[in-house]
Amino acid sequence: MCGGEESGSCEQRSCDPASCEPGACASRSYESGLCASRSFSVTTADGVLLAVREHTPAQPRTSTPLLLLHGLAGHRGEWDEVAELLLADGHRVLSYDARGHGDSTRRPGDMTRAACVRDAVAVVEQLTLPQVVLVGQSLGGHTALLTAAARPDLVRALVLVEAGPDGEKQNPNLPAEIGSWVDGWPVPFEEPSRATEFFGHPAWAGNLERRSDGWYPKVDRDAMVAAVAELATTSYWADWERLCCPTLVVRGARGTMRVREFEEMRDRRPAAAPATEFTVVPDAGHDVHLDRPGELHAAMAAFLGDLGL
């Protein structure tokens, strides 16, 4: 069920990027200055509210939309710089805050991988989208991979950024490490700029809420730990080998994706599978979309162009 829809014309919106709602200016670079922008919610079968944002250029180049999925402890606004470039190309772009994150339900009862796949499916089906290009970074990329494997009828192509099927089976301490990481955040922040200094990129400060004693990230610590529990003990190679859509795999040269996994993904792709491309973005860490949005967009644009999208 969809609800809470708000619409607006990008050509009529003007705002200060330093103070506007994260993502509100995501279409400012569209060449003609014309696009439709709206924020709304999708409610899943288990009652979780997903906060969705959509931008549609006045003259889309294709009917195939792009659905962007963020990583652990992130939010949909992380994709703003890449979304601007995709909009300039004429692509319809959607993103949403994953369950347990941002403006979506903060403390859902289910944080399993299967629940996150059902969320992606719910967004596509409730909005009656045609086949989408699923784009995901880190944990969002893992969700995208599993969604494409489970529901190939919904996915035209797949872009995985610093994400693969190996999980973290060699690191059973991952949930505890994530918990310690979140516990180490110096919250509350006195102001958003302090969050930028701590996390290292302004996009991370776009996911804050103000409380009486300061600013806090819009995530729940226990939900973050639960989100990675399965990854600590499970690999998903069967899902990778089952993929039947064209796929682009992107690794940051300074990222956390293991080179061995990156290379094994190439080796274990069935010969009969659709085109699979692999690229490394120089001087990019795990957050390739934040470190080098232009280079990531260039790789995506070339991949989509080869598909006629």
Side-chain angles (χ1 to χ4, degrees), residues 78-295:
E78 286 185 20
W79 287 107
D80 284 355
E81 291 186 75
V82 175
E84 287 185 5
L85 298 170
L86 293 169
L87 280 163
D89 292 339
H91 291 292
R92 179 185 178 191
V93 181
L94 300 95
S95 59
Y96 65 91
D97 288 337
R99 59 173 57 211
H101 296 72
D103 294 324
S104 294
T105 298
R106 192 74 52 85
R107 298 175 181 84
D110 189 351
M111 285 295 294
T112 61
R113 298 280 67 221
C116 293
V117 169
R118 290 192 295 268
D119 291 345
V121 171
V123 171
V124 174
E125 291 189 333
Q126 290 192 34
L127 300 181
T128 61
L129 299 176
Q131 281 193 315
V132 302
V133 176
L134 264 184
V135 182
Q137 185 264 345
S138 192
L139 188 64
H142 193 265
T143 299
L145 187 161
L146 297 184
T147 303
R151 292 296 305 271
D153 56 310
L154 301 181
V155 181
R156 172 68 177 85
L158 179 66
V159 179
L160 304 178
V161 183
E162 282 278 308
D166 208 16
E168 294 287 345
K169 65 179 181 179
Q170 298 173 336
N171 184 14
N173 296 320
L174 179 63
E177 292 176 0
I178 292 298
S180 297
W181 173 56
V182 177
D183 290 340
W185 295 352
V187 293
F189 295 104
E190 294 180 1
E191 54 189 30
S193 62
R194 297 296 186 186
T196 297
E197 293 172 4
F198 177 74
F199 290 118
H201 194 282
W204 284 76
N207 190 38
L208 300 175
E209 62 183 8
R210 189 169 192 171
R211 303 178 190 170
S212 60
D213 58 342
W215 295 83
Y216 290 81
K218 291 190 285 187
V219 298
D220 178 73
R221 186 259 192 204
D222 292 340
M224 299 303 97
V225 173
V228 301
E230 293 169 65
L231 296 176
T233 59
T234 308
S235 65
Y236 300 85
W237 286 105
D239 297 279
W240 169 251
E241 293 170 353
R242 192 164 63 245
L243 289 177
C244 58
C245 63
T247 302
L248 170 66
V249 183
V250 181
R251 183 175 69 85
R254 298 183 292 100
T256 61
M257 185 178 189
R258 294 184 292 273
V259 174
R260 177 193 59 76
E261 179 182 19
F262 188 73
E263 294 176 345
E264 189 172 354
M265 289 172 73
R266 180 186 292 111
D267 295 340
R268 294 180 65 164
R269 192 75 159 125
T276 306
E277 299 181 16
F278 296 82
T279 189
V280 178
V281 177
D283 199 29
H286 186 57
D287 294 326
V288 180
H289 59 313
L290 300 178
D291 294 341
R292 290 291 181 268
E295 287 84 343

Side-chain angles (χ1 to χ4, degrees), residues 11-35:
E11 67 171 337
Q12 297 172 351
R13 175 185 294 123
S14 63
C15 61
D16 177 2
S19 61
C20 67
E21 176 191 1
C25 301
S27 58
R28 285 178 294 118
S29 68
Y30 183 56
E31 184 177 356
S32 72
L34 294 172
C35 77

